[in-house]
Amino acid sequence: MEITLKKESKHIIRGGVKMLTIGQKIMESRENFHMSQEELAMRIRKSLKMVQQLEENQMTPDQDTLFNLSSVLDIPISDLIDCCNEQKILH
């Protein structure tokens, strides 16, 4: 199965199906809760800059951050890990 990341659009394409990157998943979930980046940063006890970097796929969250994101944004941690693993394979 071919997996590609289109840098310009920051999408993961797997088997012809477009998937959300971890940054997109975080941003979409945050926005669904009508939460600002600042509020998310406060709730996961990280800096605003880190949240911005996560949403832009400029960094991959560590285990504690994944757990906190999962809890605060009500995303199954397995979904976040899957996104991280896909992105790591591509880089």
Side-chain angles (χ1 to χ4, degrees):
M1 178 179 302
E2 183 178 340
I3 300 172
T4 59
L5 176 64
K6 295 186 176 185
K7 294 283 185 183
E8 64 278 359
S9 64
K10 298 182 182 173
H11 289 120
I12 295 173
I13 308 296
R14 179 190 229 184
V17 176
K18 184 169 81 171
M19 300 172 61
L20 293 178
T21 63
I22 189 166
Q24 291 168 322
K25 187 171 281 290
I26 292 167
M27 182 185 299
E28 181 181 90
S29 298
R30 176 181 59 75
E31 289 174 347
N32 285 341
F33 281 104
H34 305 286
M35 190 183 307
S36 67
Q37 288 179 326
E38 292 86 355
E39 185 176 355
L40 178 58
M42 182 184 69
R43 288 184 178 204
I44 65 169
R45 297 180 299 274
K46 299 294 180 183
S47 69
L48 171 60
K49 182 173 180 144
M50 181 182 213
V51 169
Q52 292 167 336
Q53 290 175 329
L54 289 170
E55 289 188 358
E56 290 296 318
N57 298 303
Q58 294 174 353
M59 69 175 302
T60 304
D62 61 24
Q63 186 176 0
D64 289 336
T65 304
L66 279 172
F67 178 78
N68 290 335
L69 286 166
S70 173
S71 177
V72 169
L73 297 175
D74 195 30
I75 304 171
I77 198 160
S78 59
D79 288 358
L80 292 173
I81 291 170
D82 287 346
C83 288
C84 286
N85 287 339
E86 294 290 348
Q87 286 176 236
K88 284 181 183 177
I89 290 170
L90 299 170
H91 292 289

